[in-house]
Amino acid sequence: MTDTSLDIARLGGTTMGTTWSVSLVAPRQRDLHPLHAGIQARLDDVVAQMSTWEPGSDLSRYNRAPADQYCVLPAETRHVLACAQAIATASDGAFDPTVGPLVALWGFGAHAGPRNLPSTDVLQATRARCGWQRLQWQGDALLQPGGLELDLSAIAKGFGVDHVAAWLRSQQIDAALIEVGGELAGYGHKPDGQPWRVLVESAPEEDAASELPPRVLALHGKAVATSGDRWHQYSTDGQAYSHSLDPRTGMPVRQVAAAVTVVADDAMHADAWATALTVLGQTAGMALAEREGLAVRYLQRSTGGPQEHLSSAFQRLLDEQAA
């Protein structure tokens, strides 16, 4: 039964070089301006702490710090880095928050260099500056061992979604669907009692006639993130280079999946796992998903049209929602 005293309000803005949008359930008479301002403020907090594009951010100050200096980082940044380190460990380095120098070397990110194929010596020297194993904490302070550059772009948007969701709950918003740059989280029910539903990418754009069934997820306190090959890539001398870098080799990932979708309890984990599993590829990634109990969907290009591969946990989600 629909609650006629409530309505769905839709708010939006820009952050982290992309857009954000929030659909939330609120009384019809509620002033939405404070909610819009509060959402933007939460996202601005994330940028002020974790952006590599902002020279004054906490992350940028850490990256510029001299060798052997300990830098105190805010609680939210420490929380994100703890998650990043855990996923780096679980993925055996397929996810690594210290890949900043490699991102720039291959012509991506805030400090992108020329988009030229680096020499073997330059690649090896750049890789030597990276490595999540170099992260050393002393209480709330992180050691700058020298030349280490954090890059949280593969996890910060997801955290931003969670940060907004937590704040909205504190403002007595009992139902919302939050999206930042394609990362999503939903909780509560719409006025008609239905959950928030989102369509998972069904096929690459060039395969619009695909016979794959649409995959619709109901976000009952769940988050979903998608990574893949249609974002941020370029071609040089006939060779395509993806922004998905394998920290273990220092090279862009070859044959990136069209889409890797991860459903998790929070967007921060979904975001980071989507990156790690894109780097690992379908075979190794699906094996890890099964070991970790992750809800994962790979969408792969093939000569016969797109193919999907679902982890057991992802299939269970679909089965539960169809029941």
Side-chain angles (χ1 to χ4, degrees):
M1 185 174 182
T2 301
D3 186 339
T4 57
S5 68
L6 299 174
D7 201 359
I8 297 177
R10 292 177 173 83
L11 307 174
T14 58
T15 187
M16 305 183 211
T18 186
T19 60
W20 65 264
S21 64
V22 172
S23 296
L24 57 87
V25 176
R28 294 178 184 274
Q29 70 275 17
R30 181 155 184 177
D31 182 3
L32 300 176
H33 291 92
L35 290 174
H36 188 283
I39 293 168
Q40 189 67 59
R42 302 288 85 69
L43 295 171
D44 291 347
D45 285 345
V46 178
V47 171
Q49 290 188 32
M50 306 178 206
S51 174
T52 56
W53 296 85
E54 295 292 335
S57 73
D58 295 283
L59 204 71
S60 292
R61 287 199 293 270
Y62 171 84
N63 289 345
R64 293 193 305 268
D68 300 322
Q69 179 174 312
Y70 277 92
C71 302
V72 176
L73 295 175
E76 292 85 0
T77 303
R78 298 197 306 271
H79 175 63
V80 171
L81 275 168
C83 175
Q85 288 181 260
I87 292 179
T89 301
S91 66
D92 197 23
F95 182 89
D96 190 336
T98 72
V99 294
L102 285 170
V103 172
L105 179 66
W106 286 100
F108 297 104
H111 308 292
R115 289 183 166 179
N116 300 319
L117 185 66
S119 68
T120 300
D121 288 345
V122 169
L123 180 60
Q124 289 179 345
T126 305
R127 287 184 62 201
R129 295 173 55 195
C130 305
W132 57 274
Q133 301 93 334
R134 299 179 71 200
L135 295 172
Q136 299 178 52
W137 291 92
Q138 191 174 85
D140 296 342
L142 181 64
L143 175 68
Q144 171 54 271
L148 197 67
E149 293 183 19
L150 298 173
D151 186 329
L152 300 178
S153 59
I155 191 172
K157 287 198 300 294
F159 173 75
V161 170
D162 299 331
H163 200 39
V164 169
W167 182 78
L168 287 173
R169 288 177 184 270
S170 76
Q171 302 302 302
Q172 291 74 53
I173 297 299
D174 296 329
L177 177 67
I178 304 104
E179 179 264 339
V180 177
E183 321 302 358
L184 291 151
Y187 68 90
H189 292 82
K190 294 185 284 186
D192 63 1
Q194 293 297 309
W196 305 102
R197 298 184 190 276
V198 297
L199 177 66
V200 176
E201 189 167 343
S202 56
E205 291 176 347
E206 66 272 22
D207 292 308
S210 167
E211 295 182 0
L212 288 177
R215 300 300 189 184
V216 178
L217 296 172
L219 297 185
H220 295 284
K222 293 287 187 181
V224 58
T226 298
S227 182
D229 69 357
R230 78 170 51 175
W231 298 277
H232 308 301
Q233 57 182 324
Y234 65 89
S235 295
T236 299
D237 297 328
Q239 175 65 54
Y241 294 96
S242 166
H243 82 298
S244 296
L245 301 178
D246 189 338
R248 302 166 301 176
T249 65
M251 299 285 290
V253 178
R254 294 289 184 89
Q255 297 179 321
V256 177
V260 180
T261 299
V262 178
V263 184
D265 290 336
D266 62 69
M268 177 176 66
H269 281 84
D271 195 6
W273 272 120
T275 297
L277 294 167
T278 297
V279 169
L280 286 169
Q282 186 262 317
T283 301
M286 195 59 78
L288 178 59
E290 295 296 345
R291 289 198 303 272
E292 295 285 333
L294 303 173
V296 178
R297 175 183 182 263
Y298 277 87
L299 185 65
Q300 302 280 146
R301 286 184 169 82
S302 72
T303 54
Q307 297 181 342
E308 70 172 2
H309 305 269
L310 309 179
S311 71
S312 300
F314 196 99
Q315 185 62 60
R316 282 196 299 273
L317 278 178
L318 297 177
D319 292 344
E320 289 169 4
Q321 294 176 15

